[in-house]
Amino acid sequence: MERMFVLAATAAATIAAAAPASAQQWRWNDSGWRTIGYTRVDGRDSDRIMLPGRTRQSAIRLCAMNAPLRLRDFDIRFANGARQDVNTRAVLPAGRCTRAVDLRGNRRDIESIRLRYDPIVRTAYRPVVRVQVRG
């Protein structure tokens, strides 16, 4: 019985800690950028970020958090099956973003993004990539 109580308390604390992050996820910042997704880079050479719902936007950028990331390129997949490949060849220090990339077409509906990057050294802090869009 005591073990069940500890598990329930742990689950409640985890949910309470995650709620503020998800509540702020859809807010616009002062420059008009809105965060729509995150992924933690695991050290291989590619990752995919699936984006929730309709995200019809005109520009996109990716930001590295927690640790630097050497981003080679990213491939944007749209809901209608079209793709847009963006070559970046950028070293993103922690807290920095790529340049703003205009999306081809009129306010495109982004479905997913595939990241390609140089393998990272396994450390305590792995990069978290944040996807931001502008309308």
Side-chain angles (χ1 to χ4, degrees), residues 63-120:
C63 304
M65 300 166 52
N66 296 347
L69 177 68
R70 184 179 301 268
L71 187 63
R72 292 190 307 226
D73 69 349
F74 57 98
D75 185 29
I76 305 166
R77 297 194 185 257
F78 300 104
N80 66 358
R83 303 183 331 172
Q84 182 175 344
D85 191 32
V86 180
N87 289 322
T88 56
R89 304 267 182 223
V91 176
L92 298 176
R96 300 292 297 230
C97 300
T98 63
R99 62 183 165 79
V101 175
D102 289 332
L103 300 175
R104 290 188 214 127
N106 185 16
R107 297 178 59 88
R108 303 299 304 267
D109 185 5
I110 302 170
E111 187 174 86
S112 68
I113 298 171
R114 181 172 180 219
L115 306 172
R116 290 188 195 99
Y117 50 86
D118 288 345
I120 61 169

